[in-house]
Amino acid sequence: MNAILALEDGTWYRGVAAGAQGETAGEVVFNTSMTGYQEVLTDPSYAGQIVTMTAPQIGNYGVASGDAESQAPRVAGFVMREESPLASNWRAEGTLRDYLVSHHIVAIADIDTRSLTRVLRSAGVMRGVIATGQVDPDELVARARAIPKMEGSDLVRGVTCDSPYAWRDRASAAGDADHAEFGLPPPRRASRRLRVAAYDFGVKWNILRRLDAYGCDVQVFPADAPAGDLVGSNPDGIFLSNGPGDPAALTYAIDNVRQLVNTDRPMFGICLGHQILGLAVGGQTFKLKFGHRGANHPVKELSSGKVEITSQNHGFAVDPGSLPADIRVTHLNLYDGTVEGFRHTTKPIFSVQYHPEASPGPHDADYLFRQFLDSMEKS
């Protein structure tokens, strides 16, 4: 079946349907990871986005339930150059196409993803529509121009949990309690089980797995839970998760995190959690032209000068000039110099823009979980 991807600037591509039939809309972005397409599909940070994979063939190792980062795919749509019809992997439980169809994800293949990526790099990410069947490209362009922009969008409410839960209980119920097949063994574990209260802004499961592996019992709270609920659980530390959308639109989360900052409890934020923390301490955020999405982004840790190869997925960044004097920038992106991490100078609070849990990606930054552990034990 034919399919068309149309962008708001009038550009459109004709290909073939590679997933569910129908139509979908969202912000069109690109990811440069060579592997990890299932983790990308199920990452809640991609809610509201049509993801283009720049690797030329996708789906060659199929899908496996243990590779999911949430309960189901969260992307608005999926774009590939070539869809592999085979799932060549002893772990595979099915093909990518069947997975996309069963989860109602509209996808397109057989288009020039190199051309599309160049368009998005030059003009910036754009709103777009994928539709299958016999459709008019000009009509799709008009629909793309009519969908809401990412700026000002609160997409967190669509991906956060409905009520608090203990990660170990949910992982056990899902058969995921011992999912450590490809994880690094932690260099050390907590001397006792530490209690972590985590805000779910769209959390990836592998973050929770890593916290658990380091010896933390994680209680997960909805994104709009009052700060008092987290404090009432008497945690040793607070975690702020990744998630989708514009951080500046999450005024409720910013207010709650501002209250938690004043408790002086150890706090660690990743990705959207990093941005929310930056806003909570008085900083500002801005939208990047085409964002950082992939598993090979170099980041410099400023105190040591070491360079980490990192996994990233974000379209917004913290403005370093807006941060108050008691916030010290700790990491910088070597592609464009944007802030990749900061730390409070007097409180046990720090955050990073990238994904130290990898999945997919390198494990260079896994030490950040140990730093969070050290901070909680010291407190």
Side-chain angles (χ1 to χ4, degrees):
M1 178 180 292
N2 290 332
I4 287 178
L5 165 65
L7 304 179
E8 63 177 285
D9 71 343
T11 305
W12 58 274
Y13 300 84
R14 188 183 303 277
V16 298
Q21 297 181 27
E23 182 177 313
T24 190
E27 182 182 67
V28 184
V29 302
F30 62 89
N31 184 296
T32 58
S33 298
M34 297 294 288
T35 63
Y37 50 81
Q38 188 180 353
E39 291 92 332
V40 169
L41 286 166
T42 54
D43 181 349
S45 295
Y46 281 114
Q49 294 180 320
I50 295 171
V51 181
T52 304
M53 300 300 292
T54 62
Q57 185 182 71
I58 301 296
N60 52 321
Y61 56 85
V63 295
S65 57
D67 292 342
E69 287 297 319
S70 64
Q71 292 179 331
R74 302 291 189 172
V75 300
F78 204 49
V79 181
M80 298 168 277
R81 172 65 185 91
E82 179 184 348
E83 172 218 356
S84 173
L86 301 177
S88 181
N89 180 3
W90 64 271
R91 297 175 64 247
E93 299 166 8
T95 65
L96 176 60
R97 175 182 283 267
D98 290 344
Y99 186 73
L100 293 171
V101 170
S102 66
H103 290 285
H104 312 293
I105 302 298
V106 178
I108 185 172
D110 285 3
I111 73 167
D112 188 347
T113 51
R114 293 175 300 178
S115 169
L116 174 58
T117 300
R118 283 195 292 266
V119 168
L120 298 177
R121 278 184 59 89
S122 298
V125 296
M126 286 182 274
R127 294 166 293 175
V129 174
I130 302 174
T132 63
Q134 298 303 315
V135 291
D136 182 351
D138 293 332
E139 290 184 6
L140 296 186
V141 170
R143 291 176 204 170
R145 292 170 178 166
I147 69 175
K149 291 186 176 182
M150 187 63 70
E151 298 94 321
S153 295
D154 177 359
L155 301 179
V156 167
R157 293 187 185 274
V159 297
T160 189
C161 57
D162 295 327
S163 59
Y165 67 89
W167 165 246
R168 278 212 148 188
D169 292 345
R170 176 163 293 189
S172 296
D176 193 74
D178 297 317
H179 183 81
E181 190 174 7
F182 299 110
L184 291 176
R188 76 174 188 87
R189 290 179 172 82
S191 55
R192 63 172 174 85
R193 296 294 294 185
L194 296 171
R195 295 183 300 276
V196 173
Y199 263 128
D200 176 12
F201 301 125
V203 68
K204 290 175 66 181
W205 283 355
N206 210 47
I207 294 176
L208 303 178
R209 294 178 188 126
R210 291 310 289 166
L211 289 170
D212 182 83
Y214 272 88
C216 301
D217 290 328
V218 187
Q219 184 76 11
V220 183
F221 290 84
D224 59 357
D229 288 3
L230 277 71
V231 175
S233 68
N234 194 28
D236 296 293
I238 305 290
F239 176 74
L240 311 176
S241 86
N242 62 292
D246 184 351
L250 309 175
T251 54
Y252 55 93
I254 298 167
D255 290 342
N256 283 323
V257 172
R258 187 178 295 119
Q259 295 176 49
L260 292 170
V261 167
N262 293 329
T263 67
D264 290 340
R265 278 181 166 82
M267 190 180 301
F268 177 29
I270 288 177
C271 201
L272 181 64
H274 159 85
Q275 297 162 6
I276 291 171
L277 182 58
L279 292 165
V281 299
Q284 297 179 353
T285 56
F286 64 96
K287 195 173 192 300
L288 295 166
K289 184 177 180 180
F290 48 81
H292 302 147
R293 299 175 183 88
N296 59 347
H297 290 248
V299 168
K300 185 175 183 178
E301 202 279 319
L302 297 180
S303 64
S304 67
K306 292 182 178 179
V307 175
E308 306 162 17
I309 303 302
T310 68
S311 180
Q312 303 211 8
N313 171 21
H314 62 104
F316 291 82
V318 174
D319 178 5
S322 69
L323 293 171
D326 55 2
I327 297 295
R328 174 173 58 87
V329 174
T330 57
H331 298 74
L332 289 179
N333 186 291
L334 292 183
Y335 283 152
D336 57 14
T338 52
V339 174
E340 291 284 357
F342 63 76
R343 181 179 293 272
H344 201 287
T345 57
T346 61
K347 299 176 185 289
I349 294 170
F350 70 102
S351 65
V352 291
Q353 181 62 79
Y354 50 96
H355 282 268
E357 84 287 351
S359 196
H363 300 279
D364 297 26
D366 191 73
Y367 70 90
L368 292 163
F369 291 102
R370 188 190 70 245
Q371 288 188 358
F372 187 38
L373 198 72
D374 294 342
S375 179
M376 288 188 286
E377 291 190 328
K378 182 178 178 180
S379 295

